[in-house]
Amino acid sequence: IVKILLIAFISTILISEAYALETYLETYIDQEKLVEAIGKAENSIKYPYGIKSINTHGDKVLAKKICLNTVNNNLARWQWARQNGDARDFIEFLGARFCPVNSPDDNGTNQFWVKNVKSFYFK
């Protein structure tokens, strides 16, 4: 019975931590911090901050500005999507647009984008 209580207690903690993370992403998003997390996850000299839609010629300042605009534009889209039943947190929503799995540019690493960005964001 002690093992069962311990397992139930640990499960409750893990569920509440997951809920706290989701609630945090629903109520407060630090755009600058998120852009930096994206830059670290992308880790590219040729395409800083993962910006490929506009040729930045490797200019990190320009790429960062474009990435921040992308984040801000998608915040409005995400808020509308949430009101219409989309249950994803913002980073998951952004990842589906910013770095979609199975896109023509996907070299097999896009599936890790959300996990990597979250990892850098919450460090």
Side-chain angles (χ1 to χ4, degrees), residues 2 7 28-29 36-37 40-42 46 53 58-60 68 77-78 81-83 86-87 94 96 99 107 109:
V2 173
I7 290 171
Y28 178 76
I29 295 158
E36 288 305 317
K40 289 175 183 175
E42 291 289 344
K46 187 174 181 181
S53 59
D59 182 342
K60 287 182 78 168
L68 182 58
R77 289 184 188 106
W78 174 69
R82 293 287 290 183
Q83 292 171 351
D86 192 331
L94 181 63
C99 193
N107 59 5
T109 60

PDB file of all heavy atoms in Angstrom, residues 2 7 28-29 36-37 40-42 46 53 58-60 68 77-78 81-83 86-87 94 96 99 107 109:
ATOM      1  N   VAL A   2       2.031   1.190   0.619  1.00  0.00           N
ATOM      2  CA  VAL A   2       2.944   2.328   0.625  1.00  0.00           C
ATOM      3  C   VAL A   2       3.410   2.624  -0.799  1.00  0.00           C
ATOM      4  O   VAL A   2       3.475   3.785  -1.213  1.00  0.00           O
ATOM      5  CB  VAL A   2       4.150   2.067   1.561  1.00  0.00           C
ATOM      6  CG1 VAL A   2       5.176   3.161   1.433  1.00  0.00           C
ATOM      7  CG2 VAL A   2       3.684   1.938   2.996  1.00  0.00           C
ATOM      8  N   ILE A   7       3.377   5.960  -5.630  1.00  0.00           N
ATOM      9  CA  ILE A   7       3.161   6.083  -7.075  1.00  0.00           C
ATOM     10  C   ILE A   7       2.071   7.126  -7.346  1.00  0.00           C
ATOM     11  O   ILE A   7       2.208   7.966  -8.245  1.00  0.00           O
ATOM     12  CB  ILE A   7       2.805   4.718  -7.701  1.00  0.00           C
ATOM     13  CG1 ILE A   7       4.032   3.815  -7.673  1.00  0.00           C
ATOM     14  CG2 ILE A   7       2.278   4.892  -9.120  1.00  0.00           C
ATOM     15  CD1 ILE A   7       3.754   2.375  -8.052  1.00  0.00           C
ATOM     16  N   TYR A  28       1.308  33.478 -20.426  1.00  0.00           N
ATOM     17  CA  TYR A  28       2.424  34.408 -20.517  1.00  0.00           C
ATOM     18  C   TYR A  28       3.497  33.852 -21.440  1.00  0.00           C
ATOM     19  O   TYR A  28       4.014  32.768 -21.213  1.00  0.00           O
ATOM     20  CB  TYR A  28       3.036  34.662 -19.139  1.00  0.00           C
ATOM     21  CG  TYR A  28       4.217  35.593 -19.204  1.00  0.00           C
ATOM     22  CD1 TYR A  28       4.031  36.958 -19.377  1.00  0.00           C
ATOM     23  CD2 TYR A  28       5.509  35.103 -19.135  1.00  0.00           C
ATOM     24  CE1 TYR A  28       5.109  37.810 -19.470  1.00  0.00           C
ATOM     25  CE2 TYR A  28       6.590  35.961 -19.218  1.00  0.00           C
ATOM     26  CZ  TYR A  28       6.390  37.315 -19.386  1.00  0.00           C
ATOM     27  OH  TYR A  28       7.453  38.155 -19.484  1.00  0.00           O
ATOM     28  N   ILE A  29       3.807  34.602 -22.473  1.00  0.00           N
ATOM     29  CA  ILE A  29       4.860  34.202 -23.396  1.00  0.00           C
ATOM     30  C   ILE A  29       5.828  35.364 -23.526  1.00  0.00           C
ATOM     31  O   ILE A  29       5.443  36.460 -23.934  1.00  0.00           O
ATOM     32  CB  ILE A  29       4.284  33.810 -24.764  1.00  0.00           C
ATOM     33  CG1 ILE A  29       3.409  32.572 -24.604  1.00  0.00           C
ATOM     34  CG2 ILE A  29       5.397  33.550 -25.774  1.00  0.00           C
ATOM     35  CD1 ILE A  29       2.414  32.378 -25.676  1.00  0.00           C
ATOM     36  N   GLU A  36      15.051  33.889 -28.701  1.00  0.00           N
ATOM     37  CA  GLU A  36      16.394  33.377 -28.371  1.00  0.00           C
ATOM     38  C   GLU A  36      16.390  31.847 -28.328  1.00  0.00           C
ATOM     39  O   GLU A  36      17.342  31.207 -28.781  1.00  0.00           O
ATOM     40  CB  GLU A  36      16.892  33.969 -27.053  1.00  0.00           C
ATOM     41  CG  GLU A  36      17.268  35.429 -27.152  1.00  0.00           C
ATOM     42  CD  GLU A  36      18.288  35.718 -28.250  1.00  0.00           C
ATOM     43  OE1 GLU A  36      19.273  34.957 -28.397  1.00  0.00           O
ATOM     44  OE2 GLU A  36      18.103  36.714 -28.968  1.00  0.00           O
ATOM     45  N   ALA A  37      15.335  31.262 -27.787  1.00  0.00           N
ATOM     46  CA  ALA A  37      15.232  29.795 -27.748  1.00  0.00           C
ATOM     47  C   ALA A  37      15.167  29.219 -29.161  1.00  0.00           C
ATOM     48  O   ALA A  37      15.803  28.193 -29.453  1.00  0.00           O
ATOM     49  CB  ALA A  37      14.000  29.375 -26.945  1.00  0.00           C
ATOM     50  N   LYS A  40      18.653  29.330 -30.681  1.00  0.00           N
ATOM     51  CA  LYS A  40      19.506  28.250 -30.168  1.00  0.00           C
ATOM     52  C   LYS A  40      19.104  26.903 -30.756  1.00  0.00           C
ATOM     53  O   LYS A  40      19.959  26.081 -31.089  1.00  0.00           O
ATOM     54  CB  LYS A  40      19.445  28.207 -28.645  1.00  0.00           C
ATOM     55  CG  LYS A  40      20.149  29.381 -27.995  1.00  0.00           C
ATOM     56  CD  LYS A  40      19.978  29.370 -26.489  1.00  0.00           C
ATOM     57  CE  LYS A  40      20.635  30.586 -25.879  1.00  0.00           C
ATOM     58  NZ  LYS A  40      20.386  30.678 -24.437  1.00  0.00           N
ATOM     59  N   ALA A  41      17.806  26.673 -30.865  1.00  0.00           N
ATOM     60  CA  ALA A  41      17.332  25.398 -31.420  1.00  0.00           C
ATOM     61  C   ALA A  41      17.710  25.276 -32.896  1.00  0.00           C
ATOM     62  O   ALA A  41      18.086  24.201 -33.359  1.00  0.00           O
ATOM     63  CB  ALA A  41      15.821  25.268 -31.240  1.00  0.00           C
ATOM     64  N   GLU A  42      17.619  26.366 -33.632  1.00  0.00           N
ATOM     65  CA  GLU A  42      17.961  26.351 -35.055  1.00  0.00           C
ATOM     66  C   GLU A  42      19.468  26.207 -35.254  1.00  0.00           C
ATOM     67  O   GLU A  42      19.908  25.497 -36.147  1.00  0.00           O
ATOM     68  CB  GLU A  42      17.446  27.611 -35.749  1.00  0.00           C
ATOM     69  CG  GLU A  42      15.945  27.669 -35.862  1.00  0.00           C
ATOM     70  CD  GLU A  42      15.385  26.671 -36.857  1.00  0.00           C
ATOM     71  OE1 GLU A  42      16.139  26.137 -37.692  1.00  0.00           O
ATOM     72  OE2 GLU A  42      14.173  26.420 -36.792  1.00  0.00           O
ATOM     73  N   LYS A  46      24.004  29.906 -41.660  1.00  0.00           N
ATOM     74  CA  LYS A  46      23.412  30.294 -42.940  1.00  0.00           C
ATOM     75  C   LYS A  46      21.992  30.844 -42.767  1.00  0.00           C
ATOM     76  O   LYS A  46      21.601  31.796 -43.455  1.00  0.00           O
ATOM     77  CB  LYS A  46      23.388  29.103 -43.895  1.00  0.00           C
ATOM     78  CG  LYS A  46      22.939  29.452 -45.292  1.00  0.00           C
ATOM     79  CD  LYS A  46      23.082  28.261 -46.231  1.00  0.00           C
ATOM     80  CE  LYS A  46      22.657  28.644 -47.647  1.00  0.00           C
ATOM     81  NZ  LYS A  46      22.769  27.509 -48.563  1.00  0.00           N
ATOM     82  N   SER A  53      12.610  32.183 -45.368  1.00  0.00           N
ATOM     83  CA  SER A  53      11.658  32.796 -46.291  1.00  0.00           C
ATOM     84  C   SER A  53      12.175  34.109 -46.879  1.00  0.00           C
ATOM     85  O   SER A  53      11.746  34.527 -47.944  1.00  0.00           O
ATOM     86  CB  SER A  53      10.320  33.045 -45.594  1.00  0.00           C
ATOM     87  OG  SER A  53      10.509  33.894 -44.483  1.00  0.00           O
ATOM     88  N   GLY A  58      22.696  35.734 -43.790  1.00  0.00           N
ATOM     89  CA  GLY A  58      23.342  35.362 -42.530  1.00  0.00           C
ATOM     90  C   GLY A  58      23.351  36.464 -41.486  1.00  0.00           C
ATOM     91  O   GLY A  58      23.997  36.339 -40.449  1.00  0.00           O
ATOM     92  N   ASP A  59      22.634  37.560 -41.726  1.00  0.00           N
ATOM     93  CA  ASP A  59      22.579  38.694 -40.799  1.00  0.00           C
ATOM     94  C   ASP A  59      21.707  38.324 -39.594  1.00  0.00           C
ATOM     95  O   ASP A  59      20.476  38.259 -39.701  1.00  0.00           O
ATOM     96  CB  ASP A  59      22.014  39.914 -41.520  1.00  0.00           C
ATOM     97  CG  ASP A  59      21.962  41.160 -40.648  1.00  0.00           C
ATOM     98  OD1 ASP A  59      22.035  41.061 -39.403  1.00  0.00           O
ATOM     99  OD2 ASP A  59      21.848  42.259 -41.227  1.00  0.00           O
ATOM    100  N   LYS A  60      22.346  38.105 -38.442  1.00  0.00           N
ATOM    101  CA  LYS A  60      21.618  37.667 -37.249  1.00  0.00           C
ATOM    102  C   LYS A  60      20.634  38.707 -36.739  1.00  0.00           C
ATOM    103  O   LYS A  60      19.559  38.364 -36.257  1.00  0.00           O
ATOM    104  CB  LYS A  60      22.612  37.296 -36.143  1.00  0.00           C
ATOM    105  CG  LYS A  60      23.353  36.002 -36.387  1.00  0.00           C
ATOM    106  CD  LYS A  60      24.274  35.680 -35.246  1.00  0.00           C
ATOM    107  CE  LYS A  60      23.456  35.117 -34.114  1.00  0.00           C
ATOM    108  NZ  LYS A  60      24.261  34.516 -33.044  1.00  0.00           N
ATOM    109  N   LEU A  68      11.112  37.569 -34.544  1.00  0.00           N
ATOM    110  CA  LEU A  68      10.242  38.221 -33.559  1.00  0.00           C
ATOM    111  C   LEU A  68       8.909  38.608 -34.196  1.00  0.00           C
ATOM    112  O   LEU A  68       7.846  38.418 -33.594  1.00  0.00           O
ATOM    113  CB  LEU A  68      10.930  39.447 -32.962  1.00  0.00           C
ATOM    114  CG  LEU A  68      10.157  40.204 -31.890  1.00  0.00           C
ATOM    115  CD1 LEU A  68       9.808  39.306 -30.710  1.00  0.00           C
ATOM    116  CD2 LEU A  68      10.953  41.407 -31.430  1.00  0.00           C
ATOM    117  N   ARG A  77      -2.754  34.633 -34.214  1.00  0.00           N
ATOM    118  CA  ARG A  77      -3.361  33.451 -34.837  1.00  0.00           C
ATOM    119  C   ARG A  77      -3.652  32.381 -33.798  1.00  0.00           C
ATOM    120  O   ARG A  77      -4.691  31.729 -33.815  1.00  0.00           O
ATOM    121  CB  ARG A  77      -2.429  32.883 -35.901  1.00  0.00           C
ATOM    122  CG  ARG A  77      -2.311  33.719 -37.128  1.00  0.00           C
ATOM    123  CD  ARG A  77      -1.422  33.019 -38.174  1.00  0.00           C
ATOM    124  NE  ARG A  77      -1.164  33.904 -39.276  1.00  0.00           N
ATOM    125  CZ  ARG A  77      -0.011  34.521 -39.497  1.00  0.00           C
ATOM    126  NH1 ARG A  77       1.011  34.334 -38.697  1.00  0.00           N
ATOM    127  NH2 ARG A  77       0.132  35.317 -40.535  1.00  0.00           N
ATOM    128  N   TRP A  78      -2.700  32.180 -32.875  1.00  0.00           N
ATOM    129  CA  TRP A  78      -2.849  31.161 -31.842  1.00  0.00           C
ATOM    130  C   TRP A  78      -4.010  31.492 -30.898  1.00  0.00           C
ATOM    131  O   TRP A  78      -4.792  30.613 -30.535  1.00  0.00           O
ATOM    132  CB  TRP A  78      -1.546  31.022 -31.063  1.00  0.00           C
ATOM    133  CG  TRP A  78      -1.619  30.117 -29.886  1.00  0.00           C
ATOM    134  CD1 TRP A  78      -1.759  28.756 -29.901  1.00  0.00           C
ATOM    135  CD2 TRP A  78      -1.551  30.491 -28.508  1.00  0.00           C
ATOM    136  NE1 TRP A  78      -1.779  28.268 -28.608  1.00  0.00           N
ATOM    137  CE2 TRP A  78      -1.646  29.317 -27.748  1.00  0.00           C
ATOM    138  CE3 TRP A  78      -1.403  31.709 -27.850  1.00  0.00           C
ATOM    139  CZ2 TRP A  78      -1.607  29.324 -26.359  1.00  0.00           C
ATOM    140  CZ3 TRP A  78      -1.357  31.712 -26.467  1.00  0.00           C
ATOM    141  CH2 TRP A  78      -1.467  30.528 -25.744  1.00  0.00           C
ATOM    142  N   ALA A  81      -7.082  30.619 -32.627  1.00  0.00           N
ATOM    143  CA  ALA A  81      -7.206  29.159 -32.698  1.00  0.00           C
ATOM    144  C   ALA A  81      -7.625  28.584 -31.346  1.00  0.00           C
ATOM    145  O   ALA A  81      -8.452  27.671 -31.284  1.00  0.00           O
ATOM    146  CB  ALA A  81      -5.889  28.537 -33.164  1.00  0.00           C
ATOM    147  N   ARG A  82      -7.073  29.111 -30.252  1.00  0.00           N
ATOM    148  CA  ARG A  82      -7.437  28.632 -28.909  1.00  0.00           C
ATOM    149  C   ARG A  82      -8.916  28.863 -28.635  1.00  0.00           C
ATOM    150  O   ARG A  82      -9.596  28.024 -28.069  1.00  0.00           O
ATOM    151  CB  ARG A  82      -6.607  29.343 -27.829  1.00  0.00           C
ATOM    152  CG  ARG A  82      -5.132  29.017 -27.836  1.00  0.00           C
ATOM    153  CD  ARG A  82      -4.843  27.662 -27.343  1.00  0.00           C
ATOM    154  NE  ARG A  82      -5.084  27.587 -25.911  1.00  0.00           N
ATOM    155  CZ  ARG A  82      -4.859  26.527 -25.182  1.00  0.00           C
ATOM    156  NH1 ARG A  82      -4.382  25.441 -25.733  1.00  0.00           N
ATOM    157  NH2 ARG A  82      -5.111  26.516 -23.908  1.00  0.00           N
ATOM    158  N   GLN A  83      -9.408  30.022 -29.054  1.00  0.00           N
ATOM    159  CA  GLN A  83     -10.825  30.341 -28.845  1.00  0.00           C
ATOM    160  C   GLN A  83     -11.729  29.444 -29.683  1.00  0.00           C
ATOM    161  O   GLN A  83     -12.911  29.328 -29.410  1.00  0.00           O
ATOM    162  CB  GLN A  83     -11.099  31.810 -29.175  1.00  0.00           C
ATOM    163  CG  GLN A  83     -10.458  32.756 -28.202  1.00  0.00           C
ATOM    164  CD  GLN A  83     -10.551  34.205 -28.652  1.00  0.00           C
ATOM    165  OE1 GLN A  83     -10.956  34.509 -29.767  1.00  0.00           O
ATOM    166  NE2 GLN A  83     -10.148  35.105 -27.774  1.00  0.00           N
ATOM    167  N   ASP A  86      -8.508  24.863 -30.511  1.00  0.00           N
ATOM    168  CA  ASP A  86      -7.159  24.311 -30.651  1.00  0.00           C
ATOM    169  C   ASP A  86      -6.523  24.199 -29.261  1.00  0.00           C
ATOM    170  O   ASP A  86      -6.380  25.190 -28.556  1.00  0.00           O
ATOM    171  CB  ASP A  86      -6.307  25.217 -31.541  1.00  0.00           C
ATOM    172  CG  ASP A  86      -4.998  24.587 -31.975  1.00  0.00           C
ATOM    173  OD1 ASP A  86      -4.465  23.736 -31.234  1.00  0.00           O
ATOM    174  OD2 ASP A  86      -4.495  24.951 -33.050  1.00  0.00           O
ATOM    175  N   ALA A  87      -6.160  23.007 -28.863  1.00  0.00           N
ATOM    176  CA  ALA A  87      -5.657  22.775 -27.504  1.00  0.00           C
ATOM    177  C   ALA A  87      -4.139  22.878 -27.383  1.00  0.00           C
ATOM    178  O   ALA A  87      -3.599  22.756 -26.287  1.00  0.00           O
ATOM    179  CB  ALA A  87      -6.113  21.401 -27.017  1.00  0.00           C
ATOM    180  N   LEU A  94       3.181  27.239 -32.942  1.00  0.00           N
ATOM    181  CA  LEU A  94       4.196  27.907 -33.760  1.00  0.00           C
ATOM    182  C   LEU A  94       5.033  26.897 -34.540  1.00  0.00           C
ATOM    183  O   LEU A  94       5.336  27.104 -35.720  1.00  0.00           O
ATOM    184  CB  LEU A  94       5.101  28.769 -32.871  1.00  0.00           C
ATOM    185  CG  LEU A  94       6.197  29.555 -33.577  1.00  0.00           C
ATOM    186  CD1 LEU A  94       5.601  30.588 -34.537  1.00  0.00           C
ATOM    187  CD2 LEU A  94       7.086  30.239 -32.551  1.00  0.00           C
ATOM    188  N   ALA A  96       4.199  24.055 -35.729  1.00  0.00           N
ATOM    189  CA  ALA A  96       3.458  23.508 -36.867  1.00  0.00           C
ATOM    190  C   ALA A  96       3.523  24.436 -38.075  1.00  0.00           C
ATOM    191  O   ALA A  96       3.431  23.992 -39.213  1.00  0.00           O
ATOM    192  CB  ALA A  96       2.005  23.257 -36.476  1.00  0.00           C
ATOM    193  N   CYS A  99       8.126  25.287 -38.439  1.00  0.00           N
ATOM    194  CA  CYS A  99       9.013  24.154 -38.734  1.00  0.00           C
ATOM    195  C   CYS A  99       8.194  22.868 -38.845  1.00  0.00           C
ATOM    196  O   CYS A  99       8.358  21.940 -38.060  1.00  0.00           O
ATOM    197  CB  CYS A  99      10.035  24.061 -37.610  1.00  0.00           C
ATOM    198  SG  CYS A  99      11.409  22.980 -37.953  1.00  0.00           S
ATOM    199  N   ASN A 107      14.453  17.732 -43.049  1.00  0.00           N
ATOM    200  CA  ASN A 107      15.514  16.732 -43.233  1.00  0.00           C
ATOM    201  C   ASN A 107      15.455  15.666 -42.141  1.00  0.00           C
ATOM    202  O   ASN A 107      16.443  15.011 -41.860  1.00  0.00           O
ATOM    203  CB  ASN A 107      16.887  17.409 -43.263  1.00  0.00           C
ATOM    204  CG  ASN A 107      17.172  18.183 -41.984  1.00  0.00           C
ATOM    205  OD1 ASN A 107      16.391  18.133 -41.036  1.00  0.00           O
ATOM    206  ND2 ASN A 107      18.277  18.896 -41.951  1.00  0.00           N
ATOM    207  N   THR A 109      14.647  16.371 -38.969  1.00  0.00           N
ATOM    208  CA  THR A 109      14.879  16.946 -37.644  1.00  0.00           C
ATOM    209  C   THR A 109      13.718  17.821 -37.163  1.00  0.00           C
ATOM    210  O   THR A 109      13.696  18.197 -36.001  1.00  0.00           O
ATOM    211  CB  THR A 109      16.169  17.792 -37.633  1.00  0.00           C
ATOM    212  OG1 THR A 109      16.045  18.855 -38.579  1.00  0.00           O
ATOM    213  CG2 THR A 109      17.383  16.935 -37.975  1.00  0.00           C
TER     214      THR A 109
END
